[in-house]
């Protein structure tokens, strides 16, 4: 497999750090190998620099467990062949916090205070259309008190539908949400990985051989 790296753009506003773009890179190609939509940025950090207040910075980042699981997923989908390109990681919202419940509570407060909007969390339809497919995996957590997160999920789904790109994921028991691709229980990760590969086969995108050398 070609050399593997990950890159992200960070910014800081007040006490909050945001990871506004993230991708995993194989080789030097810029073409998309796929994408995913998770909940929010987790623990991956820049190797060296840190964003200054009200500025953004892009650089190489560490691969956290979720990214390592996504690397395995991409390798399985492309059958471990050598390929050249990048996998983009989107999040429902860009606020970085490894604890998802705390991140959602902060996001809800930022929305309530008018410090961010739903539209600021979305990406253009034209950008989504650059990807051969997108994996949905923001997790199964729900709370009746969450007012803005359900609206944000629906807005993302509408934008993905408008883009026309294939999407897949393993649905939660509630029929609305999707399992995170990297469960906290290590013993369940391989089984979920197999399920996601099978879900990908069901959508049968044309990219399955596009990056083989």
């Amino acid at each position: 497999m070609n050399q593997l790296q990950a890159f992200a753009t960070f910014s800081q506003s007040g006490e909050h750090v945001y990871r506004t773009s993230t991708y995993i890179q194989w080789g030097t190609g810029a073409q998309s190998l796929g994408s995913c939509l998770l909940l929010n940025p987790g623990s991956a950090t820049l190797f060296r620099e840190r964003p200054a207040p009200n500025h953004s910075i892009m650089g190489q980042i560490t691969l956290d467990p979720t990214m390592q699981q996504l690397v395995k997923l991409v390798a399985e989908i492309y059958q471990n062949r050598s390929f050249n390109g990048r996998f983009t990681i989107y999040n429902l919202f860009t606020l970085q916090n490894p604890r998802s419940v705390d991140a959602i509570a902060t996001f809800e407060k930022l929305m309530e205070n008018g410090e961010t909007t739903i539209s600021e969390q979305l990406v253009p339809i034209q950008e989504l259309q650059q990807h051969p497919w997108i994996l949905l995996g923001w997790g199964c957590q729900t709370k009746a008190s969450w007012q803005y997160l359900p609206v944000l999920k629906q807005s993302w789904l509408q934008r993905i539908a408008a883009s026309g790109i294939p999407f897949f994921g393993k649905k939660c028991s509630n029929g609305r949400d999707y399992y995170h691709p990297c469960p906290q229980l290590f013993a369940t990760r391989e089984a979920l990985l197999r399920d996601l590969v099978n879900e990908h086969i069901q959508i049968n995108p044309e990219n399955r051989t596009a990056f083989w050398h």
Side-chain angles (χ1 to χ4, degrees):
M1 188 178 294
N2 290 339
Q3 183 181 5
L4 181 66
Q5 301 177 88
F7 299 89
T9 301
F10 292 82
S11 64
Q12 183 167 351
S13 178
E15 62 185 84
H16 302 302
V17 175
Y18 300 85
R19 199 174 82 204
T20 54
S21 68
T22 311
Y23 64 89
I24 303 170
Q25 179 74 50
W26 286 262
T28 58
Q31 196 162 3
S32 175
L33 297 168
S35 60
C36 68
L37 176 61
L38 308 182
L39 177 64
N40 75 296
S43 60
T45 57
L46 286 164
F47 275 5
R48 298 180 183 86
E49 304 92 341
R50 294 292 180 270
N54 301 315
H55 288 78
S56 63
I57 185 170
M58 181 179 182
Q60 189 174 355
I61 59 173
T62 57
L63 270 72
D64 62 20
T66 294
M67 292 181 186
Q68 293 170 13
Q69 180 82 338
L70 291 169
V71 167
K72 292 181 180 179
L73 175 66
V74 173
E76 287 292 328
I77 286 174
Y78 291 100
Q79 300 184 354
N80 286 307
R81 301 295 183 97
S82 176
F83 46 86
N84 191 34
R86 60 183 57 171
F87 180 88
T88 300
I89 300 173
Y90 295 112
N91 292 280
L92 290 176
F93 57 92
T94 60
L95 176 69
Q96 185 175 34
N97 190 324
R99 289 180 52 83
S100 58
V101 173
D102 293 345
I104 294 169
T106 302
F107 167 72
E108 290 278 327
K109 183 178 294 186
L110 291 172
M111 286 290 300
E112 185 177 347
N113 294 341
E115 297 180 57
T116 190
T117 65
I118 295 293
S119 61
E120 287 177 340
Q121 310 304 320
L122 306 174
V123 299
I125 291 174
Q126 294 81 357
E127 180 176 336
L128 289 172
Q129 290 172 333
Q130 297 174 5
H131 304 299
W133 48 266
I134 186 167
L135 162 69
L136 305 182
W138 55 67
C140 300
Q141 292 177 309
T142 59
K143 281 190 177 182
S145 60
W146 292 343
Q147 178 180 356
Y148 299 102
L149 188 63
V151 177
L152 180 58
K153 292 175 183 177
Q154 190 60 35
S155 297
W156 267 103
L157 289 173
Q158 290 171 350
R159 187 145 297 193
I160 291 168
S163 75
I165 66 171
F167 64 91
F168 68 101
K170 183 175 181 180
K171 279 198 171 182
C172 304
S173 59
N174 62 23
R176 298 184 304 273
D177 296 309
Y178 295 84
Y179 281 96
H180 191 278
C182 188
Q184 289 187 346
L185 186 60
F186 187 85
T188 64
R189 291 181 185 178
E190 288 300 320
L192 181 57
L193 186 67
R194 290 194 298 270
D195 289 342
L196 293 177
V197 171
N198 289 331
E199 290 288 339
H200 176 269
I201 291 172
Q202 295 302 313
I203 66 171
N204 195 28
E206 295 298 324
N207 74 297
R208 190 168 177 81
T209 60
F211 301 93
W212 294 3
H213 299 314

